[in-house]
Amino acid sequence: MKALLIYPRFPQSFWSYDRFMEIAGLKAVLPPLGIITVAALLPQDWEIRFCDRNVNLETDADWEWCDLVILSAMLVQKPDFHALIKKAVRLGKKVAVGGPYPTSVPQEALDSGAHYLILDEGELTVPQFLEALNQGQEQGIFRSLEKPDVTQSSMPRFDLLQRDAYLMMAIQFSRGCPFNCEFCDIISLYGRKPRTKEPSQALAELQNLYDLGWRGSLFIVDDNFIGNQRNVKRFLRELIPWMKQHDYPFTFITEASVNLAEDDEMLQLMNEAGFYAVFLGIETPDQDSLQVTQKLQNTRNPLVEACRKINDAGMLIYAGFILGFDGERAGAGERIQAFVEQTSIPQPMLGILQAPPNTALWTRLQKEKRLFDDISHPTGDQNTLMNFIPTRPVAEIAREYVEGFWRLYEPTNYLRRCFQQCLSIGSLEKRKQTMQFPLGKGLQLVAQVIWHQGLRRPEIRLQFWQQLWTIVRKKPQVLNMYLGLCAAGEHFWEYRALARERITEQLGYDPMQVPMLPEPEPMLIKS
């Protein structure tokens, strides 16, 4: 069997870092870990070609060569995903699809012509698919209510990647999250009981990447790295000596719940292992909204103190914020802005609430008959208006979103937060650097940042040089991190205009240019 594995393109989004990628000479932030894990589950006698369309496009010769096309996608990749299915069908190729998007909304993949749906987690459903192929089945849907034992998972095919095209590499240690946030689809996809690999497995993956020549930042892509605290501490205790033995070839970033700040031992272990950053789902400083959305872990301790404690432990904070919760009071956007300024979080991901399929929020809104029929499936992008009727005017939420994003990413505000966050990071005595760039890309990135911000932009030129000199003089360990954050500003200064444009297109007017208007009728909101 000749299988062509394709990962669809991402549209320009908050996390695509398009301008950053361009000035750094890179193509994508992260490799597609899911589909290269599926590649490891396929028979060894199959011929495999892999194409990440965010790095390089497949060729006509690839399409002609293959017998089978395998696609994996997240919701935000929906347009390219469907275009690829239709192209494969048009060329007479069999198509198998999987990943979070078709798992959540399988009918849409079928409607585009996919022959095989390999849903849920591949360790259990890929073997079902292979058995069906052996029996000559022309189509099929393969599902499993059970969750696989990830200690038996295959090592991803990192060798298939064009590694020098990515900002980071990625591994996964666990799946699932113990919490019950109403809007989150992680628990519907992967369950509430976090399943972890063995420390030896994770170290073997790191060793593989090391042997392939990777040096630099590495994302542990778990949706909640500390979901199983006992097992993650076992891993960290083995990771620390491995890192020391290999002369600290990687620096790590991951995602975790805010209760990380409650575990001093975890913070210490992560620091010693080389974690330089963590993404937190803060969502909102409004305690009543956190209660409504069942994000109770964010209500146990003051959020500002939690952020400061994580900074003190040596980690930069990335964070997500959401507007549009039920019962939300006017001014939520301004309160998020105030929180971000108080904590100096450089890159707050501000989004408008969506109800993903099969979440508790989706189910509740469906019962309340508040889902919009014509746009019932969200896009996965943060600057799309909600796919349901909110409890306060859509126009008000949209205005707070656009104004909040615009002000948070005003260049002087953004650079000031980057500077303040880097200075606030503690516990760096043992580290050479907090963040590493891929080999050969660092000098190009530095030169581009100096050109764009130290020379070309008069409105931030003086601020850039003053802050850079202070970092070099007072805290050189964070220099790479600081320059990386500065470079990312080039992306966000373009993206804030795109976010405003997208909301304006959906509303039919620019919410920052028009006085507050009555809420438009739902059907007037363009899908």
Side-chain angles (χ1 to χ4, degrees), residues 20 31 41 164 190 208 247 249 267 272 300 312 371 383 390 417 435 443 454 476 490 501 518:
F20 178 99
L41 298 171
D164 61 357
Y190 303 115
N208 189 0
D247 195 26
L267 288 169
E272 290 183 29
R300 298 203 292 247
D312 288 343
L371 288 174
N383 47 48
R417 289 198 311 274
M435 181 182 187
L443 288 178
E490 298 293 326
E501 180 183 308

Side-chain angles (χ1 to χ4, degrees), residues 83-94:
L84 288 166
I85 294 175
K86 291 172 182 176
K87 179 175 182 177
V89 171
R90 190 168 63 250
L91 294 174
K93 309 297 182 179
K94 287 292 186 180

Side-chain angles (χ1 to χ4, degrees), residues 282 284-303 329 335 339:
I282 292 176
T284 175
D286 292 352
Q287 295 292 301
D288 47 356
S289 290
L290 291 171
Q291 294 279 352
V292 165
T293 198
Q294 296 295 306
K295 202 164 185 97
L296 305 181
Q297 67 272 24
N298 283 24
T299 66
R300 298 203 292 247
N301 292 293
L303 289 169
R329 293 174 288 114
R335 292 189 293 278
F339 181 91

Side-chain angles (χ1 to χ4, degrees), residues 227-238:
N228 185 323
Q229 294 180 339
R230 181 182 69 87
N231 283 2
V232 79
K233 287 178 182 178
R234 287 177 54 224
F235 168 48
L236 292 172
R237 290 189 189 104
E238 295 192 29

Side-chain angles (χ1 to χ4, degrees), residues 90-382:
R90 190 168 63 250
L91 294 174
K93 309 297 182 179
K94 287 292 186 180
V95 188
V97 303
Y101 169 40
T103 293
S104 295
V105 194
Q107 188 58 48
E108 294 187 3
L110 289 173
D111 291 344
S112 284
H115 303 96
Y116 305 101
L117 273 59
I118 312 169
L119 309 180
D120 304 305
E121 296 182 57
E123 288 87 353
L124 295 178
T125 54
V126 168
Q128 296 178 26
F129 161 68
L130 295 174
E131 179 61 27
L133 277 186
N134 288 335
Q135 294 177 1
Q137 294 183 26
E138 295 292 319
Q139 58 188 21
I141 300 175
F142 311 101
R143 306 213 67 154
S144 175
L145 295 176
E146 297 179 25
K147 304 297 182 188
D149 177 359
V150 294
T151 65
Q152 305 301 311
S153 294
S154 300
M155 183 182 296
R157 288 284 308 276
F158 297 115
D159 59 295
L160 294 174
L161 300 172
Q162 185 182 324
R163 291 174 297 282
D164 61 357
Y166 297 95
L167 176 64
M168 306 178 193
M169 283 292 105
I171 67 167
Q172 182 184 63
F173 181 66
S174 70
R175 294 181 199 163
C177 179
F179 298 112
N180 201 28
C181 307
E182 187 184 41
F183 59 86
C184 184
D185 61 356
I186 296 305
I187 52 179
S188 61
L189 288 169
Y190 303 115
R192 289 190 61 194
K193 182 180 179 181
R195 293 159 286 136
T196 70
K197 295 178 179 178
E198 286 296 318
S200 58
Q201 274 179 283
L203 293 179
E205 293 184 20
L206 295 177
Q207 185 67 50
N208 189 0
L209 284 167
Y210 181 89
D211 293 340
L212 288 168
W214 179 258
R215 303 291 184 274
S217 291
L218 197 147
F219 202 123
I220 300 182
V221 301
D222 305 15
D223 295 291
N224 187 355
F225 181 63
I226 65 166
N228 185 323
Q229 294 180 339
R230 181 182 69 87
N231 283 2
V232 79
K233 287 178 182 178
R234 287 177 54 224
F235 168 48
L236 292 172
R237 290 189 189 104
E238 295 192 29
L239 175 60
I240 291 167
W242 186 94
M243 286 285 286
K244 184 176 181 180
Q245 179 186 350
H246 291 75
D247 195 26
Y248 301 93
F250 311 131
T251 54
F252 298 101
I253 176 175
T254 193
E255 303 177 53
S257 44
V258 176
N259 59 305
L260 169 63
E262 301 170 17
D263 193 327
D264 291 340
E265 183 186 20
M266 184 76 76
L267 288 169
Q268 179 64 29
L269 289 169
M270 290 176 71
N271 178 276
E272 290 183 29
F275 282 74
Y276 74 89
V278 63
F279 179 90
L280 304 174
I282 292 176
E283 320 311 358
T284 175
D286 292 352
Q287 295 292 301
D288 47 356
S289 290
L290 291 171
Q291 294 279 352
V292 165
T293 198
Q294 296 295 306
K295 202 164 185 97
L296 305 181
Q297 67 272 24
N298 283 24
T299 66
R300 298 203 292 247
N301 292 293
L303 289 169
V304 171
E305 290 182 19
C307 291
R308 285 177 179 159
K309 190 167 182 183
I310 292 170
N311 280 157
D312 288 343
M315 282 183 279
L316 167 75
I317 293 174
Y318 297 89
F321 296 89
I322 296 175
L323 289 168
F325 292 113
D326 277 4
E328 184 175 73
R329 293 174 288 114
E334 288 81 0
R335 292 189 293 278
I336 288 172
Q337 289 180 61
F339 181 91
V340 169
E341 292 302 324
Q342 191 175 2
T343 54
S344 298
I345 294 171
Q347 294 177 12
M349 183 186 73
L350 182 61
I352 296 175
L353 183 64
Q354 297 277 306
N358 307 315
T359 58
L361 176 62
W362 169 277
T363 302
R364 176 170 67 82
L365 294 173
Q366 199 171 42
K367 289 179 181 177
E368 296 172 3
K369 301 188 184 307
R370 291 170 57 196
L371 288 174
F372 289 167
D373 291 336
D374 59 332
I375 51 172
S376 57
H377 300 318
T379 65
D381 201 348
Q382 291 82 21

Side-chain angles (χ1 to χ4, degrees), residues 11-29:
Q12 189 172 0
S13 70
F14 183 94
W15 292 118
S16 61
Y17 285 86
D18 300 78
R19 187 77 180 109
F20 178 99
M21 294 294 110
E22 182 181 337
I23 67 175
L26 299 167
K27 293 293 186 70
V29 179

Side-chain angles (χ1 to χ4, degrees), residues 323-495:
L323 289 168
F325 292 113
D326 277 4
E328 184 175 73
R329 293 174 288 114
E334 288 81 0
R335 292 189 293 278
I336 288 172
Q337 289 180 61
F339 181 91
V340 169
E341 292 302 324
Q342 191 175 2
T343 54
S344 298
I345 294 171
Q347 294 177 12
M349 183 186 73
L350 182 61
I352 296 175
L353 183 64
Q354 297 277 306
N358 307 315
T359 58
L361 176 62
W362 169 277
T363 302
R364 176 170 67 82
L365 294 173
Q366 199 171 42
K367 289 179 181 177
E368 296 172 3
K369 301 188 184 307
R370 291 170 57 196
L371 288 174
F372 289 167
D373 291 336
D374 59 332
I375 51 172
S376 57
H377 300 318
T379 65
D381 201 348
Q382 291 82 21
N383 47 48
T384 302
L385 295 178
M386 54 273 296
N387 57 335
F388 62 92
I389 301 169
T391 59
R392 64 178 178 130
V394 170
E396 184 177 283
I397 295 169
R399 184 183 187 115
E400 289 185 14
Y401 168 75
V402 173
E403 287 185 346
F405 207 98
W406 197 259
R407 291 170 182 165
L408 287 168
Y409 287 96
E410 190 278 325
T412 58
N413 288 342
Y414 174 76
L415 288 182
R416 186 187 67 254
R417 289 198 311 274
C418 294
F419 176 69
Q420 291 172 342
Q421 175 92 170
C422 286
L423 288 183
S424 70
I425 292 172
S427 303
L428 297 173
E429 294 80 5
K430 298 179 182 179
R431 299 202 206 169
K432 298 176 183 177
Q433 278 291 345
T434 51
M435 181 182 187
Q436 297 180 27
F437 301 122
L439 291 175
K441 304 295 184 182
L443 288 178
Q444 175 178 340
L445 184 67
V446 171
Q448 288 287 320
V449 171
I450 289 174
W451 162 244
H452 287 288
Q453 297 174 23
L455 299 172
R456 192 174 69 86
R457 295 180 181 272
E459 69 276 16
I460 59 172
R461 185 187 300 148
L462 180 61
Q463 179 187 12
F464 172 79
W465 286 114
Q466 288 176 336
Q467 293 184 178
L468 180 62
W469 172 241
T470 303
I471 292 289
V472 170
R473 187 165 45 91
K474 290 188 174 182
K475 214 163 191 176
Q477 306 100 312
V478 301
L479 180 60
N480 278 2
M481 176 187 289
Y482 178 69
L483 289 170
L485 291 171
C486 288
E490 298 293 326
H491 163 68
F492 291 114
W493 301 332
E494 286 188 0
Y495 183 69

